[in-house]
Amino acid sequence: MERLQKAIAASGYTSRRKAEDLIRQGRVKVNGEVISELGFKVKKGDLIMVDDKMLEGENKVYYLFYKPKGCICSLSDELGRETVIDYFEDVKERIYPVGRLDYDTTGVLLMTNDGEFANLMMHPSSHLEKVYEVTIDGLINGETLHRLEKGIYLEGAKTLPCKIKVTGKDMEHKTTMLMIKLVEGKNRQVKKMFESVGFRVKRLHRVQVGFINVKGLTPGKYRLLKPQEVKDLRTLALEKKELNKRRK
Ligand code: URA
């Protein structure tokens, strides 16, 4: 935790004294909210904006995190639960998660302080592929899977076509293991899709985002993305975005 004016000065934007003036003038936002009090403390992951522009100055960093179970994808939690940021104590940049995985979901999560990159990855028209391993309670039939693949209505909007493959069945415990490949990321989408056809998701693991997977990492560990990986993710998302524009 550090004082807001100190964080602004540390980014190289201006001196601490001038940062105090900016705060008093109501020109500084933290996580979207105007902060005009000088004692305000910011923590790692908080988004600081001056005149509605993200503070530049910090190096842009990109991490791949193997999200474990039992932590939430936000920067703080009023219930005091562990957050993904707690795993990045050694990282000084104000990173945040690109999108969300549920408390009990594991697997690939990108973390960055680059707002433009995060927006591009999350933008619905980028259609970045996400692959999940799913275990559901019950034995599901081909026809139901086909309905899910074609797209179903969730809260009034139709899901985009997706691919689902059954990878195993446990007849004794009556569970089915599947792989699902989605090109969108609505809130709790996988769970809602299966719930809508009467199946509860017991386990959810994100195997891949684009071409990025957690091979070589264990739950709770992270690594920096290679510059080429960041470049290729950007290119992939931009190409898909362009393709979608032309299709419309
Ligand atoms: N879909 C879900 O339901 N939960 C996740 O965490 C990710 C995708």
Side-chain angles (χ1 to χ4, degrees):
M1 299 274 265
E2 65 182 338
R3 286 169 162 254
L4 180 53
Q5 57 268 42
K6 191 169 169 211
I8 297 172
S11 80
Y13 184 85
T14 187
S15 68
R16 192 173 319 180
R17 180 80 57 81
K18 295 226 172 87
E20 289 177 357
D21 290 341
L22 293 172
I23 297 169
R24 278 199 210 94
Q25 289 159 9
R27 291 165 61 186
V28 179
K29 284 184 185 164
V30 177
N31 301 329
E33 228 177 89
V34 173
I35 301 294
S36 43
E37 135 212 4
L38 288 179
F40 192 85
K41 295 260 175 68
V42 286
K43 60 186 172 323
K44 202 163 56 183
D46 282 343
L47 288 187
I48 305 176
M49 293 175 115
V50 178
D51 293 335
D52 287 323
K53 284 213 196 79
M54 262 258 288
L55 267 197
E56 297 290 340
E58 266 190 358
N59 278 336
K60 299 275 191 283
V61 288
Y62 309 86
Y63 288 96
L64 161 62
F65 180 46
Y66 187 158
K67 182 192 172 295
K69 262 188 177 182
C71 66
I72 60 162
C73 280
S74 64
L75 306 178
S76 62
D77 182 42
E78 67 244 15
L79 301 175
R81 289 175 299 181
E82 193 164 44
T83 77
V84 287
I85 295 292
D86 295 335
Y87 288 83
F88 287 82
E89 268 173 4
D90 298 338
V91 173
K92 66 176 192 325
E93 287 85 5
R94 296 158 194 284
I95 55 170
Y96 48 89
V98 177
R100 275 166 195 256
L101 291 178
D102 297 334
Y103 185 71
D104 54 351
T105 302
T106 56
V108 175
L109 184 67
L110 303 178
M111 306 276 297
T112 186
N113 58 348
D114 181 345
E116 177 264 311
F117 175 81
N119 284 338
L120 178 63
M121 293 301 117
M122 288 189 292
H123 199 277
S125 67
S126 295
H127 281 201
L128 207 60
E129 242 170 42
K130 291 141 198 125
V131 183
Y132 294 89
E133 269 172 20
V134 195
T135 305
I136 55 168
D137 261 335
L139 303 171
I140 194 165
N141 65 32
E143 191 207 311
T144 311
L145 288 177
H146 192 55
R147 266 170 57 209
L148 289 175
E149 284 188 318
K150 280 198 306 188
I152 46 145
Y153 281 90
L154 288 183
E155 288 144 17
K158 198 169 181 194
T159 57
L160 290 174
C162 67
K163 292 197 185 113
I164 308 178
K165 203 167 100 187
V166 174
T167 53
K169 279 186 186 179
D170 181 338
M171 298 311 243
E172 192 190 334
H173 299 102
K174 295 222 164 30
T175 55
T176 311
M177 279 70 80
L178 314 107
M179 285 282 229
I180 179 165
K181 204 184 272 186
L182 301 178
V183 291
E184 56 187 341
K186 294 193 173 114
N187 187 29
R188 296 187 65 251
Q189 179 159 346
V190 176
K191 289 180 186 164
K192 283 184 187 162
M193 284 174 69
F194 283 98
E195 272 160 21
S196 77
V197 289
F199 292 88
R200 186 182 75 90
V201 169
K202 279 182 72 170
R203 176 182 169 270
L204 187 57
H205 173 72
R206 184 151 74 183
V207 184
Q208 205 161 314
V209 172
F211 53 87
I212 300 290
N213 61 50
V214 286
K215 264 182 214 144
L217 291 175
T218 51
K221 298 290 180 210
Y222 58 82
R223 69 166 173 86
L224 274 168
L225 286 178
K226 298 184 188 112
Q228 190 63 43
E229 288 175 319
V230 177
K231 199 168 161 214
D232 290 347
L233 276 173
R234 267 210 185 94
T235 307
L236 188 65
L238 284 169
E239 275 171 6
K240 299 236 169 172
K241 215 169 159 178
E242 198 49 41
L243 210 68
N244 282 318
K245 227 196 278 172
R246 269 190 257 136
R247 272 198 201 127
K248 275 183 187 161

